[in-house]
Amino acid sequence: MEIKDNTFSRQFETIVDEGLVSVEYSFQEKKIFLTKINVPESFEDEEFISNFLKNIMEIAIERKFKVVPILPKIVVFFKKNPVYKELLPPGIRL
């Protein structure tokens, strides 16, 4: 999976057959706030979204960012993948 960090649009992007899949973000003090997931209308592959989020977590690890999940779907991702809970800033509980 190839992920582009589109800093101008503030989103991570990847292309699927149906179109563009993206996760919008904002930054504040070495924290990345994941705010929205955008998918094409006909796209329903939850496993792909999970893998996309895992790749974004690896980018956060490389860049030494903490991750703040704003979107409920991303909170569920953290609950299903406790290995990434180390990326949560102090004081964030899920």
Side-chain angles (χ1 to χ4, degrees), residues 3-7 9-13 22-36 52-53 55-71 74 78 84 86-90 92:
I3 296 177
K4 177 184 177 191
D5 182 359
N6 184 336
T7 56
S9 297
R10 290 184 300 196
Q11 63 186 18
F12 294 105
E13 304 171 340
S22 65
V23 174
E24 295 179 15
Y25 64 78
S26 63
F27 279 113
Q28 184 180 357
E29 300 172 4
K30 298 286 280 176
K31 292 183 202 124
I32 186 168
F33 292 75
L34 301 178
T35 57
K36 187 174 182 185
F52 186 36
L53 289 171
N55 280 286
I56 292 170
M57 296 306 129
E58 294 303 320
I59 291 169
I61 290 168
E62 286 174 18
R63 297 181 184 177
K64 297 182 174 29
F65 290 140
K66 292 294 184 182
V67 177
V68 181
I70 302 297
L71 192 66
I74 298 175
F78 271 96
Y84 296 115
E86 67 193 36
L87 293 174
L88 297 171
I92 299 282

